[in-house]
Amino acid sequence: MTLLLRDYHGHSYELTSADEAGRRFDEQIETIMPHGGCGQTITIGPAGSPVLRVDIDIDADRAAVRWLPDGSHAVALAPDRPITVYESPDAGLCDIPADLVRLDTTTARQVIVDYAATGDRPASVLWRTTDGT
């Protein structure tokens, strides 16, 4: 199964290994967005069906990571503050609520690398649905 990382513009990058996933992720999260910050949305998964959505702001050192097949989100930190990300040229800026922003950027990167290595939802973090289960 070939995995793709998609940036906020919809550009796709083939991930040939877990190391490549980490490298591409690092490259993307430092990009300055049209709003002048680094906050952006990245998706990862097979062609045509991303399974991970990462809303990340490296300046705030916070990320929201969602497992799209079941709508769960990764939890490692207590809710702190929302972040604003550039979702896409069509959607523009999007506010991500603090209840979803539950990872630091290093942990978000590890989730991406773990997914690229296994193709499964990473077990390195807890996953919760919006109803708390």
Side-chain angles (χ1 to χ4, degrees), residues 44-114:
I44 299 169
S49 58
V51 297
L52 279 174
R53 174 183 167 133
V54 180
D55 297 294
I56 187 163
D57 183 340
I58 62 170
D59 295 329
D61 190 28
R62 289 288 182 268
V65 177
R66 288 179 258 185
W67 184 254
L68 300 175
D70 68 6
S72 61
H73 61 278
V75 175
L77 302 170
D80 182 26
R81 61 191 177 276
I83 59 174
T84 299
V85 299
Y86 194 77
E87 185 176 41
S88 71
D90 293 333
L93 293 175
C94 178
D95 293 324
I96 309 299
D99 287 346
L100 296 177
V101 182
R102 305 287 297 269
L103 301 181
D104 59 35
T105 55
T106 300
T107 305
R109 182 188 192 278
Q110 189 60 52
V111 168
I112 299 312
V113 170
D114 291 350

Side-chain angles (χ1 to χ4, degrees), residues 4-8 41-45 50-54 68:
L4 300 175
L5 179 145
R6 291 168 204 81
D7 67 12
Y8 71 99
T41 300
I42 296 169
T43 60
I44 299 169
V51 297
L52 279 174
R53 174 183 167 133
V54 180
L68 300 175

